[in-house]
Amino acid sequence: MTAPVYLTDDEVRRTTLPIGELADALVPAFRKRSEGVVMMPAKTGMHPSGSDAYFHSMPALVPGVAAGVKWVAGSPSNSSRGLAHIHAHLILSNVETGAPIAVVEAGYLTGLRTAALSLLAARSLARPEAKRLGFIGCGFQARTHLQAFAEEFPVRQVALYGPRRQSVTAFEEHVADCYDLETVACSHPGEVLAASDIVVTTVPAHRDLEGFLDARVLPEGAFVSMVDLGRSWDATTVGKFDRCLTDDLEQSAALAHNNAAFSAMSFSGDLSGLQTGDVEGRRSASERIAFLFPGVALADIVAGQMVLERVRATPGR
């Protein structure tokens, strides 16, 4: 039996997988999910008492692609330790034989697939003329989301807010180096919400975090991608969204107890419904729409297989 391939984060990064291309590849996977042929139990987690560390297991089987599981663990305190917030590995197996195909370091991969999920939602739910991006949290996920949205929307301005000035400055420099966009560093998160057509919130979880974002500040027509599971949002204000959607209704129902904002949301559909047409996309220019999502393993499987195929096609590999 051929030994499984091991791919490092650097090798994944060097494939330069376009986020839009990954979003395209997720469309048939979500349609298969709606047909009931994708197997995807809800993610399971362990959260040790007295610690802010977490450990999650995310399995899925996508027919025609691969079966696999992502093991993702981390701690919001890792930044003070000089470590990445998230550590993740993806194991891919042959659907027919169960033989291992690859083990993929999935830190960078997770950033790509998360941005691809947000982009897939935004294609149906954000206003196509959206020009102003807003970020609450300025870490790695903010960078991949900027890449995704700047490629497909006529972005002209990026508003930023983060609790750590160092991260905000680093993100400003990244925007200046890689994009021809105006940046506005805000002293209060409400300024970002009020000035944005698309908002991405990526605030890491920690024991003392209380929701501080007020949905009432958002302008008409805003689309919000809650990468942080809504934990940065004041749960008493999320009712001001006209609609809230998620990536997978079944999994989100199983995980809704995770935080107050998540529990307060009433989901009107998911990505599978949007791809099949069973769920409407944006219905008016004035709708305020939230996309709150815990992430789905089927997206990790698709992304991992695409990266593996790109690596195998590299001369000399």
Side-chain angles (χ1 to χ4, degrees):
M1 184 178 70
T2 304
V5 175
Y6 187 93
L7 300 180
T8 66
D9 253 353
D10 285 342
E11 288 177 298
V12 174
R13 192 184 298 267
R14 286 198 296 270
T15 64
T16 61
L17 175 62
I19 296 174
E21 185 177 323
L22 174 54
D24 293 341
L26 292 178
V27 173
F30 276 109
R31 287 176 178 165
K32 289 179 181 179
R33 174 67 170 164
S34 71
E35 296 165 2
V37 297
V38 169
M39 300 179 67
M40 191 175 68
K43 68 167 71 175
T44 58
M46 299 183 294
H47 302 82
S49 60
S51 168
D52 61 4
Y54 59 88
F55 304 87
H56 293 162
S57 174
M58 302 176 63
L61 186 156
V62 183
V65 182
V69 61
K70 186 171 78 170
W71 177 253
V72 55
S75 165
S77 300
N78 280 350
S79 58
S80 64
R81 303 181 178 111
L83 299 173
H85 177 192
I86 293 174
H87 303 277
H89 282 77
L90 175 68
I91 301 173
L92 294 175
S93 297
N94 183 284
V95 172
E96 300 298 328
T97 68
I101 301 169
V103 178
V104 184
E105 291 183 2
Y108 187 73
L109 188 77
T110 295
L112 292 180
R113 75 83 150 118
T114 306
L117 290 170
S118 291
L119 178 59
L120 192 58
R123 286 173 174 176
S124 297
L125 302 175
R127 288 185 296 145
E129 70 274 17
K131 295 180 174 63
R132 303 175 300 169
L133 278 181
F135 292 93
I136 307 294
C138 297
F140 171 56
Q141 288 281 11
R143 295 190 182 204
T144 57
H145 279 74
L146 173 59
Q147 177 185 341
F149 289 124
E151 288 176 356
E152 296 205 15
F153 288 85
V155 178
R156 294 290 179 267
Q157 178 181 291
V158 179
L160 316 172
Y161 173 82
R164 297 175 64 243
R165 181 61 206 176
Q166 182 179 0
S167 295
V168 175
T169 299
F171 194 41
E172 284 183 292
E173 293 172 351
H174 171 71
V175 176
D177 291 342
C178 302
Y179 302 90
D180 182 21
L181 299 173
E182 176 190 1
T183 58
V184 180
C186 300
S187 58
H188 188 276
E191 297 174 29
V192 175
L193 303 189
S196 300
D197 303 313
I198 296 175
V199 176
V200 180
T201 62
T202 60
V203 177
H206 59 78
R207 283 171 289 179
D208 300 323
L209 178 64
E210 295 184 2
F212 60 93
L213 298 177
D214 188 340
R216 294 171 295 185
V217 179
L218 290 164
E220 286 191 350
F223 168 76
V224 176
S225 179
M226 298 181 178
V227 180
D228 55 14
L229 274 177
R231 53 177 80 92
S232 60
W233 290 82
D234 182 342
T236 65
T237 73
V238 296
K240 294 301 179 182
F241 285 103
D242 296 294
R243 283 196 295 157
C244 182
L245 290 89
T246 189
D247 49 3
D248 188 79
L249 285 171
E250 184 177 324
Q251 177 175 257
S252 291
L255 300 176
H257 62 279
N258 276 3
N259 62 68
F262 204 160
S263 302
M265 293 286 190
S266 177
F267 297 117
S268 60
D270 61 12
L271 288 178
S272 292
L274 285 173
Q275 304 317 308
T276 60
D278 292 332
V279 175
E280 285 186 281
R282 173 171 287 274
R283 297 179 297 200
S284 73
S286 62
E287 270 193 310
R288 297 180 180 89
I289 303 176
F291 179 57
L292 187 158
F293 63 115
V296 283
L298 74 84
D300 294 298
I301 301 301
V302 171
Q305 184 64 27
M306 291 179 74
V307 164
L308 179 60
E309 290 170 359
R310 280 175 166 251
V311 170
R312 284 174 169 169
T314 302
R317 176 72 191 196

